Amino acid sequence: MPDASRYRFELNELMEIARAINSERDPTSLLGMILQKSRLITGADAGSIYVVEPHPERPGEQLLRFEVAQNDSVELELDSITMEISRRSVVGAAVMGREAIRIPDMKYLEPGNPWAAAHDQSIDQHSGYQTRSMLTVPLINHRDEVIGVLQLINKK
């Protein structure tokens, strides 16, 4: 696709997301649409969205809840799980660092990388899917609060 055509396509997709944010009342549908459009724009095979929520047992602390997942290569039935926000996970590091994390190849993480040993491969093993590359982006609201994380996996 030529650069001008690609730019118009991406801009149109972003405008659809903006319209949905203003009109969609079902949060899960909205998150699904944001994930779908993000995957379309970036060419990602799979992706997920995690939502930041209050910790039920520790007032003042927060957790990440796995909310929405999509995958073009395999069908996944994933339960809504929660995890501590920690630099030991890629999504936790994105929340804490408040910046995108790009991993071109999961097999070749830099020595000393805090999440290299902690990367949970159980989903890959269970589904037969292999996570190769990853882009993880914190979702920040108008009050400058991290409210979630968008994770895109395996550029096609």
Side-chain angles (χ1 to χ4, degrees), residues 27-46:
T28 303
S29 293
L30 177 61
L31 292 175
M33 193 275 274
I34 290 171
L35 181 56
Q36 177 190 26
K37 296 295 184 185
S38 298
R39 290 178 49 234
L40 184 63
I41 290 169
T42 62
D45 182 56

Side-chain angles (χ1 to χ4, degrees), residues 22-143:
N22 289 323
S23 63
E24 180 62 58
R25 298 296 171 228
D26 177 33
T28 303
S29 293
L30 177 61
L31 292 175
M33 193 275 274
I34 290 171
L35 181 56
Q36 177 190 26
K37 296 295 184 185
S38 298
R39 290 178 49 234
L40 184 63
I41 290 169
T42 62
D45 182 56
S48 54
I49 293 183
Y50 298 78
V51 176
V52 175
E53 61 183 27
H55 196 297
E57 298 165 3
R58 294 186 225 143
E61 290 188 32
Q62 296 177 315
L63 294 171
L64 281 165
R65 182 170 35 83
F66 186 80
E67 184 67 24
V68 178
Q70 298 172 359
N71 190 312
D72 287 342
S73 296
V74 298
E75 280 204 34
L76 295 174
E77 290 286 329
L78 299 172
D79 295 328
S80 182
I81 59 168
T82 58
M83 62 190 331
E84 301 286 329
I85 296 174
S86 160
R87 291 196 186 275
R88 290 188 39 138
S89 71
V90 179
V91 290
V95 170
M96 295 177 80
R98 301 173 58 85
E99 61 185 30
I101 298 171
R102 181 179 165 266
I103 303 173
D105 193 331
M106 293 296 291
K107 288 184 180 179
Y108 301 104
L109 295 174
E110 315 80 53
N113 184 309
W115 57 79
H119 174 63
D120 183 3
Q121 297 178 359
S122 64
I123 294 173
D124 285 4
Q125 292 167 351
H126 176 72
S127 68
Y129 189 76
Q130 183 180 8
T131 300
R132 293 181 311 277
S133 61
M134 185 182 295
L135 176 62
T136 307
V137 182
L139 302 173
I140 301 173
N141 70 10
H142 66 282
R143 291 186 296 251

